[in-house]
Amino acid sequence: MHAPSPSLRIGVALGGGAAQGFAHITVLEAIDELGLKPAAVAGTSMGAIIGAAYAAGMSGHDIRGFAINLFRRRSDFLGRLWQLRPRRISEVSLGLGQFDLQKTLRAFLPPFLPETVEGLAVPFTAIATDFYAGTEVVIRTGPLIPAIAASSAVPILFQPVVFDGRVMIDGGCVNPVPFDRLGGVDFVIASDVVSLPRGGPHRVPGPVQAAFGSVVLVLNTILKEKLRNGARPDVLINPPTGDFGPMDFTKAAAIIRMSEPGKDAVKRQIAAAIEARMAAGR
């Protein structure tokens, strides 16, 4: 299957979702297999992390291999994470929100990523939230690791990140799928990986599950409202993530496998939308 060779400048937007974000990988593989070369990439939270790797020149297949290898041995991953634990935990916080995300990213991300956002091979945008102003922050320049940490600082897990003199938390609080922040493109492919919590009246979530489930509900509500108000990408893909939760990082391979059967449908969806746009422009 091949997409038409468009003169369109294509942008890719990847949404937040923590571990559910591994499902973005099959979307990137579909884009690659169609022979499309994005002119810009934007991401929020986990979408910013994966998007930065993609903008650095890694293919979807490369990112798949890196993610599966990183989490292949659960004990190794947890051991490395344990080494990054906060040394002093206050009695009030009990460790919640105390991990330093910048240190964590430096420990786990590919070492060949550039030092700055503008050093990426493809123009890249990360979305963060200014904690005190309560506003969206669009990051297109500056040090890369702090930028994607600012976009990904989920308050339940990580310390807020000071970036450009402002205190930042996870960008999903304001813009969970940043398809409207891709400047200079003609055609936008967006991927939203968030799956709502599943269960019933006899399946009461525990405190951690309830906390992260609440975050997922907020992301979903913000995106629905955004779409209701008329903002819409040319293609919106919803890779399945099933019962996998935001914290299921060690299940990366299983999350990717779940989304893989839909890859051909994603390719057809993208190709058809590009053909329709090209036909309309003739």
Side-chain angles (χ1 to χ4, degrees):
M1 181 191 308
H2 297 283
S5 298
S7 58
L8 298 174
R9 287 175 55 83
I10 292 173
V12 175
L14 306 178
Q20 294 173 335
F22 289 120
H24 288 313
I25 291 171
T26 54
V27 175
L28 299 182
E29 288 178 333
I31 292 169
D32 293 342
E33 290 169 17
L34 287 169
L36 300 174
K37 303 295 182 185
V41 177
T44 294
S45 199
M46 188 63 168
I49 296 172
I50 292 177
Y54 194 55
M58 294 181 74
S59 67
H61 182 73
D62 293 338
I63 298 171
R64 172 199 288 255
F66 182 85
I68 290 175
N69 185 63
L70 182 63
F71 298 102
R72 187 182 304 277
R73 293 175 61 88
R74 185 173 184 271
S75 60
D76 289 349
F77 166 71
L78 293 177
R80 291 173 67 186
L81 193 62
W82 177 252
Q83 294 300 315
L84 295 166
R85 73 191 187 281
R87 299 303 178 182
R88 293 182 179 179
I89 298 177
S90 72
E91 294 180 2
V92 174
S93 70
L94 300 178
L96 292 177
Q98 295 300 299
F99 276 87
D100 185 322
L101 183 52
Q102 294 186 62
K103 287 183 180 179
T104 305
L105 291 174
R106 287 191 173 96
F108 289 105
L109 285 181
F112 53 79
L113 295 181
E115 290 294 319
T116 64
V117 175
E118 54 268 42
L120 293 166
V122 176
F124 174 71
T125 300
I127 302 300
T129 302
D130 185 318
F131 180 73
Y132 290 111
T135 56
E136 178 180 2
V137 179
V138 178
I139 302 172
R140 295 194 172 107
T141 60
L144 179 62
I145 294 297
I148 56 181
S151 179
S152 311
V154 179
I156 300 169
L157 281 180
F158 300 109
Q159 298 172 10
V161 175
V162 177
F163 185 90
D164 196 25
R166 291 186 282 182
V167 177
M168 308 289 194
I169 61 171
D170 193 282
C173 296
V174 288
N175 194 345
V177 186
F179 54 80
D180 53 340
R181 293 295 181 249
L182 284 159
V185 300
D186 310 304
F187 186 92
V188 175
I189 301 167
S191 177
D192 170 32
V193 296
V194 169
S195 290
L196 294 177
R198 297 185 181 186
H202 301 294
R203 186 179 175 184
V204 179
V208 174
Q209 185 184 5
F212 282 103
S214 299
V215 172
V216 165
L217 291 170
V218 170
L219 297 180
N220 183 261
T221 300
I222 293 172
L223 179 59
K224 279 185 176 179
E225 190 62 27
K226 186 175 170 182
L227 294 171
R228 188 178 294 117
N229 288 334
R232 187 170 291 275
D234 296 280
V235 177
L236 179 58
I237 300 163
N238 301 103
T241 51
D243 288 326
F244 293 107
M247 293 307 296
D248 286 332
F249 288 98
T250 58
K251 299 177 182 178
I255 294 171
I256 295 168
R257 281 198 304 272
M258 169 166 275
S259 62
E260 191 162 23
K263 189 195 293 185
D264 284 344
V266 168
K267 290 160 71 173
R268 288 192 295 270
Q269 183 182 355
I270 294 171
I274 290 175
E275 288 174 357
R277 170 64 70 83
M278 296 299 289
R282 292 190 187 113

